[in-house]
Amino acid sequence: MVFGFLRRKKKEKPLTEVELPPEVEKPKVSAETTTAENVKVKMDLILAQMDSLRTQYESLNERIIAIEKMIKEMYDMAKSG
């Protein structure tokens, strides 16, 4: 990589053991328990997650555009120099 020396070194965290909770039986969901309210709540959650993803993608696209401009400027400087 051309700019490999500019990358930050990753800090390794020591691994720790995680205690798992005892198995809990999941309640059995039948067609009767799935109501319109449950579906509406789930849809609202999905819409919120999609909105969050859209915001993240917009942010990433802005950063990519800025990086592309910087690379073009560096290329132009190297080409003219």
Side-chain angles (χ1 to χ4, degrees), residues 2-3 5 7-8 10 13-16 19 21 23 25 37 39-40 42 46 52-54 60 65 70 75 79:
V2 178
F3 297 105
F5 64 94
R7 294 177 62 185
R8 292 183 182 173
K10 294 181 182 178
K13 296 180 181 177
L15 297 176
T16 58
E19 291 185 24
E23 289 294 322
E25 287 188 33
E37 185 64 29
V39 172
K40 183 178 181 198
K42 289 178 184 178
I46 291 171
S52 173
L53 285 174
R54 183 172 23 90
L60 287 172
I65 290 170
M70 183 177 61
Y75 176 76
K79 188 176 174 183

Side-chain angles (χ1 to χ4, degrees), residues 1 11-13 18 31 37-38 41 44 51 55-56 59 63-64 71:
M1 181 171 216
K11 295 180 181 176
E12 294 185 21
K13 296 180 181 177
V18 178
E37 185 64 29
N38 289 344
V41 169
D44 288 341
D51 188 46
T55 303
Q56 290 175 5
S59 174
R63 292 174 68 185
I64 290 171
I71 291 172

